[in-house]
């Protein structure tokens, strides 16, 4: 893995750290490729059940590296989006651990995550309109699906940032921490998720992420089809058996 992105394992949790603190973790082609490879590893590994993405040096990410852009680089992968995860997010849960700024493309990277843990000193923003640009890396499309549309439009159309308290108030942030503690809290949250049945986690995320455009009738049909293999799995039997025997379950992912 490239040194611009660091990858560690905490038991069943993968931690991906964008490691360009000198440029506020700006996203270039090397970062994008390395993040995509790490997230592919997360999804492909039988030992990993959840991921955390963060930035080094007290900043999550300030978005696209403009110098790299002028060299003709892009932090997007064809068909996969920003860092390979905005159009095709991972099958397994991904938690963002935010310190400092999550700005522009950094904010859009956050939107590819399922949950967000942030320090109270963190700041969030999509300032593209201030440069006559469109936040097409995911914010203009996904933010109105994540929070109330009127609030999303305020962020998108003014380009003004908000603090972590406001982000939590509008439902963008799940948990707030003191400064410097976001990563530890995000890992703790990911560990809680990883303790559950991996098949159930993946199917639940798939249903929740996919259901926005379903009609009520097709929603019941689709969630039944997606969840049926989970109910028929060895892990489902193990979950019930472990409950009856008053012991922790041992998941096999099948």
């Amino acid at each position: 893995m490239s040194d611009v992105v660091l990858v560690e394992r905490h038991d069943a949790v993968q931690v991906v750290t964008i490691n360009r603190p000198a440029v506020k973790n700006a996203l270039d082609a090397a970062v994008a490729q390395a993040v995509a490879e790490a997230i592919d590893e997360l999804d492909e590994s039988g030992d990993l059940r959840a991921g955390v993405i963060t930035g080094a040096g007290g900043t999550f990410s300030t978005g696209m590296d403009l110098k790299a852009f002028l060299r003709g680089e892009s932090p997007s992968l064809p068909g996969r989006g920003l860092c390979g995860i905005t159009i095709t997010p991972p099958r397994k849960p991904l938690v963002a651990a935010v310190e400092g700024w999550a700005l522009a493309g950094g904010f859009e990277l956050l939107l590819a995550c399922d949950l967000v843990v942030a320090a109270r000193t963190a700041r969030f923003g999509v300032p593209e309109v201030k440069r006559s640009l469109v936040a097409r890396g995911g914010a203009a499309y996904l933010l109105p699906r994540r929070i109330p549309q009127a609030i999303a439009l305020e962020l998108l159309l003014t380009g003004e940032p908000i603090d972590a308290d406001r982000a939590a108030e509008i439902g963008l942030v799940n948990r707030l921490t003191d400064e410097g503690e976001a990563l530890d809290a995000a890992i703790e949250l990911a560990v809680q998720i990883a303790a559950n049945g991996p098949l159930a986690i993946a199917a639940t995320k798939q249903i929740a992420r996919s259901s926005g455009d379903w009609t009520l009738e097709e929603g019941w049909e689709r969630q039944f089809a997606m969840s049926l293999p989970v109910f028929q799995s060895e892990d489902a039997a193990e979950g019930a058996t472990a409950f009856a025997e008053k012991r922790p379950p041992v998941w096999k992912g099948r």
Side-chain angles (χ1 to χ4, degrees), residues 2 14 17 34 103 112 150 157 162-163 168 183 194 246 249-250:
S2 167
Q14 180 197 63
T17 303
L103 196 66
L157 299 181
I162 59 173
D163 61 24
L183 179 56
K246 296 181 173 58
V250 180

Side-chain angles (χ1 to χ4, degrees), residues 6-60:
L6 307 177
V7 182
E8 300 175 294
R9 291 193 179 197
H10 293 255
D11 296 324
V13 174
Q14 180 197 63
V15 178
V16 180
T17 303
I18 302 170
N19 187 38
R20 301 185 75 208
V23 291
K24 303 296 183 184
N25 298 320
L27 308 173
D28 62 6
V31 169
Q33 186 62 44
V35 170
E37 290 174 3
I39 298 303
D40 287 346
E41 180 187 8
L42 169 65
D43 265 350
E44 293 167 5
S45 171
D47 298 326
L48 293 170
R49 294 177 184 168
V52 173
I53 186 166
T54 192
T59 298
F60 185 73

Side-chain angles (χ1 to χ4, degrees), residues 114-149:
D114 303 295
L115 303 171
V116 179
V117 176
R120 291 182 175 86
T121 50
R123 303 270 284 176
F124 305 82
V126 273
E128 278 82 348
V129 293
K130 290 179 176 289
R131 301 291 179 264
S132 194
L133 298 173
V134 177
R136 67 177 186 177
Y141 177 59
L142 296 175
L143 189 57
R145 294 168 174 249
R146 188 78 163 244
I147 62 176
Q149 187 182 74

Side-chain angles (χ1 to χ4, degrees), residues 59 88 94-95 152 160 179-180 224 235:
T59 298
T88 56
L94 188 61
V95 183
E160 293 295 322
E179 186 175 7
F224 181 82
D235 277 359

